[in-house]
Amino acid sequence: MKILLSVFLLGATLCSGSREPLMDYDYSGYAVVYGGKFPAPVIHGETRMSDGIPTSLRLDGKENFLTIPGGEKVSLVNGGTLYAVVKFRREKAFGMLFFKENEFLLGYYQKNLYFNMPNGKKFNAPVYCGPVPLDEWCRAAAVVSVKDGDYFVRLHLNGKKTEETVFRALDYKTSNGKLTIGKGWGGVWFLSGEIAILKVFDVPLTDAEIAELDKQSPYRFLPQNL
């Protein structure tokens, strides 16, 4: 079903406490809702939505991706949270969810939920979480906290979480790179799957706040063991 939907621009409110998302895109209703501080994304390639309710944005793994206007202002240098309700298709072993040039990424890599940040000039702070259930809806989050120059990263997947990975004195600097959804590092990383919810916070959410977001998901899942 091609996307022929009304679009509403709303001020975002996070129901998890008083936190408000910096970016908040919801494709799960018949009308697409864009909130937070950023406008509607630029969608590259033919745009399609899934049938029925809840709905989702379909990416074909070949040419579809989103560019976030003003996304170069998004950074995890002082901590933050990336959150999505997403379905990764089995047909590809790689798929990018969030990607900011020279700053961070969250995606699917060889059966794992995969997060990385740069240390100096190279992405050299990987964190893995898995297995990712393929062809099924997932709730995925990366939470980054900063304390005394050290970076603490934990990943959440369908109600379970990893232990924090600590990167001491990580050399992470902000950049003017674009923020894209569904694309990173060339064609192999185009996302083949569906997206229902995308959220970015400029603060690290607590476990309870992540759990609250999960409860609000338009899709229901069985918990996965990590």
Side-chain angles (χ1 to χ4, degrees):
M1 180 178 67
K2 290 186 179 180
I3 183 169
L4 297 172
L5 306 174
S6 300
V7 176
F8 296 92
L9 296 177
L10 301 179
T13 53
L14 172 65
C15 351
S16 93
S18 60
R19 315 272 198 178
E20 291 190 356
L22 190 65
M23 188 189 90
D24 192 0
Y25 297 158
D26 186 345
Y27 294 94
S28 65
Y30 211 76
V32 181
V33 179
Y34 302 131
K37 297 182 179 180
F38 295 98
V42 176
I43 302 180
H44 304 265
E46 186 176 11
T47 308
R48 294 184 178 273
M49 298 291 287
S50 61
D51 295 322
I53 293 292
T55 56
S56 58
L57 178 67
R58 288 179 171 173
L59 300 181
D60 65 5
K62 299 176 182 177
E63 61 178 3
N64 289 145
F65 69 99
L66 287 66
T67 300
I68 310 304
E72 65 275 2
K73 298 178 182 178
V74 176
S75 180
L76 298 177
V77 69
N78 296 315
T81 303
L82 310 175
Y83 182 88
V85 178
V86 59
K87 181 191 291 185
F88 296 103
R89 294 202 189 105
R90 191 177 303 274
E91 63 192 42
K92 293 193 71 173
F94 304 85
M96 194 64 73
L97 195 48
F98 295 91
F99 182 80
K100 187 180 179 194
E101 297 174 33
N102 303 317
E103 280 215 45
F104 59 77
L105 65 85
L106 177 65
Y108 161 67
Y109 174 72
Q110 296 286 29
K111 301 182 180 180
N112 291 278
L113 187 67
Y114 168 52
F115 175 83
N116 207 339
M117 299 184 298
N119 188 10
K121 295 182 179 180
K122 297 182 179 180
F123 277 77
N124 195 25
V127 181
Y128 296 91
C129 168
V132 174
L134 303 179
D135 297 321
E136 298 178 21
W137 284 103
C138 302
R139 303 155 294 175
V143 182
V144 179
S145 304
V146 185
K147 183 178 179 181
D148 297 328
D150 297 332
Y151 282 76
F152 299 75
V153 181
R154 70 180 190 277
L155 301 184
H156 292 250
L157 179 63
N158 288 353
K160 301 292 184 178
K161 68 172 183 174
T162 63
E163 296 294 327
E164 282 190 322
T165 301
V166 184
F167 297 97
R168 303 292 180 188
L170 190 71
D171 185 13
Y172 175 11
K173 299 178 178 65
T174 58
S175 75
N176 292 321
K178 294 180 181 179
L179 176 60
T180 57
I181 306 295
K183 176 189 177 183
W185 287 330
V188 70
W189 283 97
F190 278 109
L191 174 63
S192 177
E194 300 180 30
I195 293 172
I197 303 289
L198 293 166
K199 296 179 185 285
V200 175
F201 299 83
D202 57 4
V203 294
L205 297 187
T206 65
D207 293 349
E209 288 173 322
I210 295 292
E212 183 61 30
L213 284 178
D214 288 348
K215 288 180 182 178
Q216 297 163 22
S217 168
Y219 291 92
R220 294 290 175 255
F221 328 77
L222 294 174
Q224 302 292 317
N225 293 321
L226 301 186

